Amino acid sequence: MASSPNHYRSATYTVDPEGAAVGTVTAIRGSVVDVRFPHRVPRLYNLLQAKGNIAIEVLSHLSEQTVRGIALTPVQGLARGASVTDTGNSLQVPVGAKLLGRVFNVFGDPIDGQAAVAGPRRSLHASPVPLSQRATQTDILETGIKAIDLLAPIERGGKAGLFGGAGVGKTILITEMIHNVVRQYRGVSLFCGIGERSREGEELYREMKSAGVLDNTVMVFGQMNEPPGARFRVGHAALTMAEYFRDEMHRDVLLMIDNVFRFIQAGSEVSGLIGQLPSRVGYQPTLATDLAALEERICSTQSAAITSVQAVYVPADDLTDPAAVHTFSHLSASIVLSRKRMSEGLYPAVDPLQSGSKLLTPSVVGQRHYKIAQAVRITLADYEELKDIIAMLGLEELAEQERATVYRARRLERFLTQPFFTTESFTNLPGQWVSLSETLKGCERILADEFSELPERELYMIGPIGDVKGRQQAQAAAQRKTQRDKEKEKPKK
């Protein structure tokens, strides 16, 4: 998936003859390049071109004749005194239906080995939709994943975050949501990989192709080996494509971003390179502004919506890290993945007590959904408090009512696990889509102790609650077959 360092850009940018200006490189510090324009300085965010397909974006004006920019491509071969041309335009990417099924980099150039996309192009830099043009109604986007739909429902046109440290299943959950939502709603899916490993990008491309959802998907990557400027702008490139689908084609878009922390990290690198003083924990002083410039463009209008699900890496699993705190403030739903639950084999490892959604109110989801979700959360919270007592004294020392709470909570925990379509090759379990009504029915029956006589393992990795009966029948049939086989093997007298 990676582009060759010498072939980052194949698109040709037209240079406005009247706005064109030629400058000279005066300083190079890593990816930061200072350029002097003796006659006319370029505007902020203009794209500059140097020999060897080196692209530089203007970030600040140092003086009346000097600008400072960040290189979006490797700067090998660039030296002081080199000639640089102002294109007169900001960085632009292609938009339109021709993008479906394709993979692009930050410049809008295909990196899937196919031909370049011809057609209209749009600037990466755009203003958010005015408040007067935004949709005000609240709709739920059903994902088919029990733990999310029950405890942290996602808003159509809203933003949901997947918080977790390394290796807790953020990318797996995102690919499952792409699979479920694209198939169920037949919308456009747009995957934006910020700081992705090329291996992950290539695997994701193959998974999407085999799942049959690639034809309605656009993928944009700013890979880990690319300069910080490219990683910092790839999120804006994906948003520009998504906005065209929403505003011009009136299609709902599911925008998956993996990983928002890498966007913040790239901004921190750019900030340090251009000489800004670091803020708390070493982040850029403009952290809130940089993140808001990206997040505020994700919204719903009267005609269509962009719904975003964003993976957020949490450094050292510390949810008080500034990157996580600033991201929280933009989200309507927060899904926290727990390393402890993952170690217990509870997949997806959604923490039911730390995850939540602003939509989980009776006026939005309804009284029944709200009551069941609260009952589930209270039961699991009570179990969490009892764990220390169980560890010290044992389950037998608990009162009968407390033991009933523990059994109920453990069954709920196992019912909220689910086999995924995207992990069938690893688990040998067929993936399951579970509707919200089935999820509510299952939790309601478990809370009413309907399955108190059933072993906990019978509720582990199933879809709807009705699968329990099917599993019992299958096990009974298997036992009968084993018994018949044993009787056949007995020697006749």
Side-chain angles (χ1 to χ4, degrees), residues 452-463:
S452 56
E453 302 300 321
L454 200 68
E456 296 168 2
R457 64 177 182 274
E458 297 298 324
L459 294 165
Y460 179 69
M461 280 294 175
I462 63 169

Side-chain angles (χ1 to χ4, degrees), residues 329-444:
S329 63
H330 291 278
L331 305 174
S332 56
S334 301
I335 302 157
V336 180
L337 300 181
S338 162
R339 195 175 302 280
K340 183 180 177 184
R341 292 178 70 80
M342 190 194 71
S343 66
E344 293 172 357
L346 301 173
Y347 302 106
V350 175
D351 190 321
L353 302 181
Q354 293 197 66
S355 302
S357 171
K358 294 175 183 176
L359 275 65
L360 196 57
T361 60
S363 59
V364 177
V365 299
Q367 197 70 37
R368 178 171 176 250
H369 182 170
Y370 176 75
K371 283 185 175 179
I372 293 171
Q374 290 301 102
V376 168
R377 210 185 292 272
I378 290 168
T379 303
L380 294 174
D382 290 345
Y383 175 44
E384 196 67 30
E385 290 177 1
L386 292 169
K387 279 183 178 178
D388 290 339
I389 299 173
I390 295 168
M392 289 186 293
L393 304 176
L395 188 62
E396 295 75 18
E397 297 300 317
L398 297 179
E400 186 177 344
Q401 187 176 351
E402 291 173 335
R403 283 204 301 272
T405 299
V406 171
Y407 295 142
R408 204 175 296 134
R410 289 180 63 85
R411 282 167 173 76
L412 282 170
E413 281 185 336
R414 278 143 187 79
F415 176 65
L416 291 177
T417 62
Q418 186 171 343
F420 281 175
F421 291 97
T422 52
T423 58
E424 285 180 358
S425 57
F426 305 108
T427 62
N428 290 325
L429 296 171
Q432 295 274 6
W433 161 283
V434 184
S435 66
L436 176 59
S437 60
E438 287 287 351
T439 301
L440 295 176
K441 186 197 298 182
C443 292
E444 210 168 29

Side-chain angles (χ1 to χ4, degrees), residues 259-386:
N259 183 304
V260 170
F261 176 77
R262 303 293 178 203
F263 166 77
I264 294 171
Q265 196 175 46
S268 178
E269 291 178 50
V270 170
S271 172
L273 287 169
I274 64 176
Q276 293 179 336
L277 289 174
S279 181
R280 186 180 162 207
V281 200
Y283 289 109
Q284 63 269 42
T286 56
L287 170 58
T289 311
D290 291 344
L291 192 59
L294 183 77
E295 297 283 3
E296 288 303 303
R297 290 171 64 182
I298 302 170
C299 65
S300 57
T301 63
Q302 300 297 333
S303 58
I306 297 175
T307 304
S308 177
V309 179
Q310 310 168 9
V312 185
Y313 168 70
V314 181
D317 293 340
D318 179 16
L319 290 172
T320 63
D321 186 89
V325 170
H326 279 280
T327 307
F328 265 122
S329 63
H330 291 278
L331 305 174
S332 56
S334 301
I335 302 157
V336 180
L337 300 181
S338 162
R339 195 175 302 280
K340 183 180 177 184
R341 292 178 70 80
M342 190 194 71
S343 66
E344 293 172 357
L346 301 173
Y347 302 106
V350 175
D351 190 321
L353 302 181
Q354 293 197 66
S355 302
S357 171
K358 294 175 183 176
L359 275 65
L360 196 57
T361 60
S363 59
V364 177
V365 299
Q367 197 70 37
R368 178 171 176 250
H369 182 170
Y370 176 75
K371 283 185 175 179
I372 293 171
Q374 290 301 102
V376 168
R377 210 185 292 272
I378 290 168
T379 303
L380 294 174
D382 290 345
Y383 175 44
E384 196 67 30
E385 290 177 1
L386 292 169

